[in-house]
Amino acid sequence: MVLIRHMTRMRHITKRWRHGMRPMVRRAWGMYHSLHFPPAVICAAILALTALGWISTRHGLQHDINVAEDTRITATEHLVESQLNSYEEILSGGVGLFQGSDEVTRSDWQHYIAAFNVTQDYPGAQAFGYARVTTSDELPDLTAYMQAQGVADFAIQPSSPARDVYAPVVYTQPERPGVMFGFDMLSEPTRRMAVLEARDTNRAIITQPITLMAKTSQKNLTGFNMYVPYYDIAQPIQTTAQRQAAIKGYVFASFRANIFFKNIVASDQAKTMGLSIRAGATPLYASGNYASLIKQHGILQVTRPLQVYGQTWTITYAFNRHGLVSQPQLNRPAGVLFAGIFMAIMVPLIVWLLLRARSSELLMQKERDIELAKDELLSLASHQLRTPATGVKQYLGMVLQGFLGPVVPEQHLILEKAYASNDRQLHVINEILHLAKIDAGRIVLARQNTNLRDLLHDIMHEQQSDLKNAGHKLTTHIPKQPIMLNVDAHMLRMAFENLLSNAIKYTHRGGKITITVRQTATEVHISIQDTGVGIAQEDFPKLFKQFSRLPNEMSQQVGGTGVGLYLAKHLIELHGGSIRVTSSLGHGTTFSVTLPKNAA
Amino acid sequence: MKAANKQSILIVEDERALNEAYQMILRSAGFTVEVAFDGQEALEKCAELEPALILLDLRMPRVDGIQFLKSYDLKKNHPKVKVIVFSNYDMQKEIDEAYSLGAERYILKAWASPKELVQVVKNALEDK
């Protein structure tokens, strides 16, 4: 019962492992539980997170850049506006000067402007001046007045064609060489437009870009004028018509663009920010670094309009992103990307390695379980087979060995045969057990220091009665000194028992058996020679196969399972040794065994 | 516990035919013999009288040979008692375990003739 239960259990384990699952189920099971699936999922998840992180940090970086841009732009716009305001204040103050006195002379104007230290504090303006509205009738008086103030060559420019109303420049400070008195602000369309708008709106107005008046030849004279209207304070100026009627003149300032805007981009920002300013389609100014900056890779350009005193300037900013955010901030998206990809490789790799280690451990555990079940089955099978045979042995042995008193010789002979038969049965069980263990690869040698000499003598002693019964003569050539080998004595004994037993069995009565032992430094050679029936050359290949009994003239008379030589060969080979056979049919057989001395 | 009889032997064997055979063999050789048919019964017998030698089978119902050795605890409690493991079950793992629990010898039952059994027992007892 126990045996059957064990066999069923082992079959169950093996079956479950090898064939237990139907192919489809197995495939599905394999797919979801394969080593690759969890790492692949982890890899995909990390990659997805990385992509999200990358997009998010890029947005964050863009936001930071936008904020930094806006800050710079706002600061720049504020700077432009505040500079223009400060000039406008001077001009408005000039209007107040005219309104507050009956007469403002050339000298008064000079003193007023000198008070501001303009060359140093207001370098953007080339000149602060006053253009007086004059009808053609008043022109002779004005000319005389100007001459009286020391402007000997005062004349309206351009002089022709004749106009009804003029707005000639009468004062201008500082009076640089080549200053043009008498230039009519209304004679040139761009200036005229701004002048009339200032008059009609009672506001400070800036012209579109103009080429500044100068007698000296200077390279870049692009600039603009700012006008502030001066009305007769005795007249109302609520309506446009009233303002047109009350206008007396214009206080103005002339600006050279490249000087006015020179410090708009602070020197410490020059590497990372540049700008160009246009009024409509006309370029007004470009910072010195602008042209080179916009050619660089990765430059951000932003264009914003700026309303200033009746004009709309278009400012295009060029930013180098290194000036807007720090290098770590700039590196963050790439850092997230690389770290994510690194993790997406490393984490699944580690998981895969752990899974692989675990699964091979499980596989080994299963194999160990199966092997253990095999061992148990074999041991149990032999136990179950041995036990009844052992009972027979004990009871027969008691009678045979005189435990119950003497037996008559005929009975003794029969008992001996029965006892020998039982002994053979036990041997067969043992051989089959070892055979099964060899086939299952389950023999583990229990090596211990063994004297081969003693072992061989024991075997000869055991089989002495068989030798005597067969009338054989045994000759030995064995060295007298101990022959120590590190072997499994039990297993080796089984091998040599078989060889000697075969020699005895397959030799005609009165034969000769010789056991010879020779040694070299590394090996021991044992030969067992008989004068028996011999083995045909063509039978040699079958000799060491299990259950192959060779047909010869004696095989009918002697018993055997055909296991002995197979077992002997394997046991000797397990010890790292070898076995050879030489034979001549009808003359005898020699089995030569070689065993290594230094076997582990 | 009474004083141990030097010649008393406890046979622990579940196979009735074998148990009886060993009784006959050892009695006729002059030993006092006690018997048990499993480890549990053996423990009970040992509680009454400490034997000089135990002939112990391994595979038995209820309490097997290994469990008996663990409970009886030879090394600690009964250092003078000899145990010969006498089994037809040759699982190396269990043989090693029996030795580590204090067994003196392991003999495969199938190889011992009645005379050899007597000799083995005598040798073990004389070895004191």
Side-chain angles (χ1 to χ4, degrees), chain A residues 274-308:
Chain A
L275 55 78
S276 84
I277 303 171
R278 284 175 292 115
T282 313
L284 198 56
Y285 172 76
S287 62
N289 59 353
Y290 181 76
S292 67
L293 211 52
I294 57 170
K295 285 179 196 153
Q296 290 174 18
H297 175 72
I299 290 297
L300 305 165
Q301 294 198 54
V302 183
T303 299
R304 294 282 176 83
L306 180 65
Q307 308 289 336
V308 281

Side-chain angles (χ1 to χ4, degrees), chain A residues 372 375-376 379-380 382-383 386-387 390-391 393-395 397-398 401 403-404 419 426-427 430 433 437, chain B residues 15 17-18 20-22 24-25 28 57 59 87-91 108-115 117-118:
Chain A
L372 197 65
D375 277 5
E376 281 177 9
S379 291
L380 200 71
S382 55
H383 175 264
R386 276 167 183 160
T387 298
T390 308
K393 181 176 183 135
Q394 300 306 325
Y395 286 104
M398 271 192 274
Q401 294 178 338
F403 278 75
L404 309 169
Y419 190 84
L426 285 165
H427 263 99
N430 208 39
L433 170 70
K437 280 190 174 177
Chain B
E15 188 73 27
L18 283 179
E20 284 170 5
Y22 296 150
M24 289 165 77
I25 292 164
S28 68
D57 193 12
R59 293 194 76 89
S87 173
N88 268 332
Y89 187 68
D90 58 354
M91 188 80 180
L108 196 72
K109 272 189 263 189
W111 295 146
S113 74
K115 269 187 179 172
L117 170 63
V118 170

Side-chain angles (χ1 to χ4, degrees), chain B residues 50 73-82:
Chain B
E50 185 178 77
D73 203 350
L74 272 179
K75 285 180 181 171
K76 200 176 156 195
N77 299 334
H78 308 280
K80 286 181 179 172
V81 177
K82 303 275 178 180

Side-chain angles (χ1 to χ4, degrees), chain A residues 360-377:
Chain A
S360 69
E361 192 185 308
L362 283 175
L363 200 68
M364 274 162 64
Q365 183 57 48
K366 269 186 180 155
E367 280 173 2
R368 277 198 296 272
D369 288 350
I370 290 170
E371 295 305 329
L372 197 65
K374 275 187 197 168
D375 277 5
E376 281 177 9
L377 177 70

